[in-house]
Amino acid sequence: MSAIEALKWRYATKKMNGEPVSQDKVDQIIVAAHLAPTSSGLQPYKIIVVTNPELKEKIKAVAYGQSQITDCSHLLIFAAWENYTEENIRAVFARTHQERGLPGDSNSDYVNNLVANYTARSEEENFTHAAKQAYIGFGVAITEAAFLKVDATPMEGFQAAALDELLGLKDLGLRSTTLLPLGYRDAAGDWLVNLKKVRTPLNDFVIEFK
Amino acid sequence: MSAIEALKWRYATKKMNGEPVSQDKVDQIIVAAHLAPTSSGLQPYKIIVVTNPELKEKIKAVAYGQSQITDCSHLLIFAAWENYTEENIRAVFARTHQERGLPGDSNSDYVNNLVANYTARSEEENFTHAAKQAYIGFGVAITEAAFLKVDATPMEGFQAAALDELLGLKDLGLRSTTLLPLGYRDAAGDWLVNLKKVRTPLNDFVIEFK
């Protein structure tokens, strides 16, 4: 098996047709992202799933009117921790140790070091780091959607602060990083669907040290 | 098809056995990352492939001695543009338009806007943005490796400035973001291989707005 054919099939869908994606497929896309690795296994982000039509309209208004936000069936929003805190970090390891049947104070040097390192950094630095972890899961979700022949549009073009306000993310200690509308292409109305997928030439993308 | 079983199989391999990964599989992993989406299709990063044993030793020395760096068969280094420049941005669109058989001045408003927006931002802000795009490809590469039953260890723990110096990345306008050693697990010597994979409970990972 390989992801290559699925990745060739996908494209950043510009026009969706409103057809619903089955909950089963949405769940698979989320589960794939949920399995993606993150730094120290902290999983410092969440996926927000929006199906409410009125809310999608409001989100479109803070996302430059991009039609996929209302024409998609499920809008995924990847939202990262606004900061790493001692509480958050210790909670992850408490659960991990419990699920692995290890004593609660296992790897305490490692955990203490993580807490010391993260809490010494600025909130902005920590948010950026958490956001990068979300991008790993974002890549995995995009790949899984392509396997399932679900169209998706990776989006960074939105007013993050306005979206955070709209969803009350501050109260959850989160900040939005990316959007991923899931749906089905409206091939007749999509200017991009028939254009060739272009990438950096492979020999320019790769540098070898043999 | 789905990536879920492959993602369950993979783990952050702590000990590799030195067995070589075939070039064909390495190529597939790179091609998958190469197909991953990036913001405006700019692909602001490259993948560096290190197989040279002396160089791997030197890299291990700036990566806290992590043994996978020398025990892997191919070390992938994801390195992002240190900045977005007018030249880089226009070069991408010149190639894209050529490959799509469009006039060179197509979408000039869009391209001019991108140039204006990126060049108005600080180098650090632009590097962070480019690095995030690399993380999407990183997620896709990790997934593809898992499909091919190639073990891989996503790594952020290294001295990026020292690695950049070692590889002369500054001269290429690049900065290292993540490492991905590819190889095969040494199950007998790996403390992590038999521990349960733990993730945030799914109902805590997902927030729904219905």
Side-chain angles (χ1 to χ4, degrees):
Chain A
M1 269 198 3
S2 165
I4 291 174
E5 286 312 309
L7 290 164
K8 285 183 178 167
W9 172 83
R10 66 152 297 281
Y11 75 115
T13 306
K14 299 301 178 188
K15 181 74 185 148
M16 293 184 172
N17 65 11
E19 200 183 310
V21 179
S22 70
Q23 190 61 47
D24 176 56
K25 288 184 178 173
V26 175
D27 289 346
Q28 281 190 63
I29 293 164
I30 291 170
V31 166
H34 182 250
L35 283 165
T38 55
S39 191
S40 307
L42 289 170
Q43 283 192 288
Y45 71 97
K46 293 185 192 291
I47 294 180
I48 297 162
V49 185
V50 180
T51 49
N52 181 286
E54 291 78 26
L55 185 55
K56 289 202 288 184
E57 283 293 346
K58 288 179 188 167
I59 295 172
K60 184 163 78 169
V62 297
Y64 309 105
Q66 293 175 88
S67 67
Q68 307 94 316
I69 292 173
T70 45
D71 293 341
C72 75
S73 138
H74 295 69
L75 174 65
L76 306 190
I77 301 168
F78 288 67
W81 291 359
E82 63 181 357
N83 204 352
Y84 288 93
T85 63
E86 172 155 13
E87 190 188 351
N88 277 349
I89 295 169
R90 293 201 186 279
V92 170
F93 285 97
R95 189 178 55 238
T96 301
H97 293 148
Q98 189 176 31
E99 288 205 31
R100 287 177 173 169
L102 299 172
D105 61 354
S106 300
N107 312 313
S108 61
D109 286 353
Y110 175 76
V111 177
N112 290 338
N113 268 332
L114 276 184
V115 168
N117 289 338
Y118 278 116
T119 55
R121 290 181 199 140
S122 71
E123 177 169 329
E124 196 56 34
E125 197 175 352
N126 277 337
F127 168 67
T128 296
H129 184 267
K132 286 176 177 171
Q133 311 312 309
Y135 274 74
I136 300 175
F138 190 57
V140 172
I142 291 165
T143 306
E144 182 71 3
F147 273 127
L148 301 174
K149 292 272 193 289
V150 170
D151 283 302
T153 318
M155 287 184 178
E156 286 181 325
F158 59 96
Q159 298 165 273
L163 180 58
D164 297 352
E165 177 77 24
L166 193 57
L167 300 175
L169 295 190
K170 180 82 186 162
D171 292 341
L172 304 173
L174 298 170
R175 288 169 61 185
S176 53
T177 63
T178 52
L179 309 184
L180 193 66
L182 302 176
Y184 293 102
R185 64 187 70 178
D186 172 4
D190 192 330
W191 59 268
L192 186 57
V193 65
N194 291 317
L195 287 177
K196 183 183 173 191
K197 185 189 287 294
V198 178
R199 292 291 184 268
T200 311
L202 200 54
N203 62 4
D204 189 40
F205 181 68
V206 177
I207 300 170
E208 292 182 301
F209 286 90
K210 288 187 179 177
Chain B
M1 269 197 4
S2 164
I4 290 173
E5 286 313 308
L7 289 164
K8 285 182 179 169
W9 172 85
R10 68 153 295 282
Y11 75 114
T13 307
K14 299 301 177 188
K15 181 75 185 149
M16 293 185 170
N17 64 12
E19 200 184 311
V21 179
S22 70
Q23 189 61 48
D24 176 58
K25 289 183 178 173
V26 174
D27 289 346
Q28 282 190 62
I29 293 164
I30 290 170
V31 166
H34 182 249
L35 284 165
T38 55
S39 191
S40 307
L42 289 170
Q43 282 194 288
Y45 70 97
K46 294 184 190 292
I47 294 180
I48 298 162
V49 186
V50 180
T51 49
N52 181 286
E54 291 78 26
L55 186 54
K56 288 202 287 183
E57 283 293 345
K58 288 179 188 166
I59 294 171
K60 183 164 78 170
V62 297
Y64 309 105
Q66 293 175 90
S67 67
Q68 306 95 315
I69 291 174
T70 46
D71 292 341
C72 76
S73 142
H74 295 69
L75 174 64
L76 305 190
I77 301 168
F78 288 68
W81 291 359
E82 62 181 357
N83 205 351
Y84 288 92
T85 64
E86 173 156 12
E87 190 188 351
N88 278 348
I89 295 168
R90 293 203 184 277
V92 170
F93 284 98
R95 189 179 55 239
T96 300
H97 294 147
Q98 189 175 32
E99 290 205 30
R100 287 178 173 169
L102 299 171
D105 61 354
S106 301
N107 312 313
S108 60
D109 286 352
Y110 176 75
V111 177
N112 291 338
N113 267 334
L114 275 184
V115 168
N117 289 338
Y118 278 117
T119 56
R121 290 180 199 142
S122 71
E123 177 169 330
E124 197 56 35
E125 198 176 350
N126 277 337
F127 168 67
T128 296
H129 183 268
K132 286 175 177 172
Q133 311 311 310
Y135 273 74
I136 299 175
F138 190 57
V140 172
I142 291 165
T143 306
E144 181 71 3
F147 272 127
L148 302 174
K149 292 272 193 290
V150 170
D151 282 302
T153 319
M155 286 184 181
E156 287 180 324
F158 59 96
Q159 298 166 271
L163 180 58
D164 297 351
E165 177 78 24
L166 192 58
L167 300 175
L169 295 190
K170 180 82 186 160
D171 293 340
L172 303 172
L174 298 171
R175 289 168 62 185
S176 53
T177 63
T178 52
L179 309 182
L180 192 68
L182 302 176
Y184 293 102
R185 62 189 71 177
D186 173 4
D190 192 328
W191 59 266
L192 186 56
V193 66
N194 290 318
L195 287 177
K196 183 183 173 191
K197 186 189 287 294
V198 179
R199 292 290 183 269
T200 311
L202 200 55
N203 63 4
D204 190 40
F205 181 68
V206 176
I207 300 170
E208 292 182 300
F209 286 90
K210 287 188 181 180

